[in-house]
Amino acid sequence: MFATVGILRARTGRLVLVAALCALLASCSAADGTGSGAATTTAPASAAAQASGQYPNAVVVLGHSGATGYDSDPKAPATDATQNSWATGDNPAVDSIYLRLLALNPAVRGHNTNLAVAGTGVDELAGQADQALATKPLPELFLIQSVDNDIRCDGSDASNYAPFAATLTDVLKKITVGAPKAKILIVSSPWSTVDNYGQVAAGLPGPRAANSGTGPCDLFDPSGKPVPAHWRYLEGITLHYLGELKSVCAKFPTCRYDNDALYHMRITTDDITPSDGAHLTVAGLRKQAALEWRVLGLEH
């Protein structure tokens, strides 16, 4: 979805904006929309040999709870559900990037590492990158979703843009030095535009309550009434952070940014968790996986 102070307070791993997906081909192009696509059966051995040279043999995701499937399992609310991760999960209902790769390259089987940690931000990415670079086999596709928890919404964001960009730059340097052949895709926010998310949240008691208050990024006042000025304020901050993601990624030849595709992914009431609207459901995660798969442009 998209980040608000209410969302940040409401979940164990606060969420507001970024995800990074490693692009596999230099021809990756940004796209938006949702769509689906079921996981297919394993390719024949002859095709596997060819696929393993074209597609990554190992994938890893770094970031926050948006990448862990947090709160997406109704049987285990408010916990990670990594099987539902849009990036590395193995639940066919989500049809993750990993499962889509597996259908094209059997060599990737079992090499789907999820190092994302709920509640983390850009400062924790370096440690996650170190873990990824110690993984065997070395990941060839890095997916990163991590900007959301860095949005402060307390009046100090303007002074945080440069440090945020500098820290992310250091993380990408670390990855490109440790895995020079790996591709990196940084994704935007899965919370769509403030307008889309706000309208959806307004119709759900949990998300509306979680985004109500008096802070500058609270979408609704304490009575639940929309506050347009807050919507505009949050939109501005969000777009500025996304701009930092784009500019930092552009410095590295192996990095691609999704050009705000995830941020513009349209969501409905079925796509966000009913408790506080701070995470995607299985339906929403499937949308995200399909969208980022198109951004990667791996299937021709």
Side-chain angles (χ1 to χ4, degrees), residues 245-262:
L245 293 178
K246 182 177 182 178
S247 62
V248 170
C249 184
K251 299 176 183 178
F252 299 86
T254 57
C255 182
R256 292 291 178 121
Y257 176 58
D258 78 355
N259 253 353
D260 301 348
L262 184 58

Side-chain angles (χ1 to χ4, degrees), residues 72-94:
S72 64
D73 184 352
K75 296 180 180 178
T79 62
D80 289 334
T82 54
Q83 73 275 13
N84 294 335
S85 170
W86 62 269
T88 59
D90 57 10
N91 181 357
V94 173

Side-chain angles (χ1 to χ4, degrees), residues 21-94:
L21 247 204
C22 298
L24 248 155
L25 301 177
S27 61
C28 291
S29 61
D32 58 11
T34 55
S36 58
T40 58
T41 56
T42 300
S46 59
Q50 179 180 3
S52 62
Q54 181 178 1
Y55 303 105
N57 292 328
V59 58
V60 64
V61 64
L62 316 179
H64 54 46
S65 59
T68 68
Y70 188 88
D71 205 26
S72 64
D73 184 352
K75 296 180 180 178
T79 62
D80 289 334
T82 54
Q83 73 275 13
N84 294 335
S85 170
W86 62 269
T88 59
D90 57 10
N91 181 357
V94 173

Side-chain angles (χ1 to χ4, degrees), residues 115-142:
L115 297 175
V117 178
T120 60
V122 71
D123 290 338
E124 287 75 32
L125 280 181
Q128 294 177 18
D130 285 334
Q131 295 179 65
L133 293 171
T135 301
K136 302 298 180 184
L138 188 66
E140 296 175 351
L141 174 61
F142 282 72

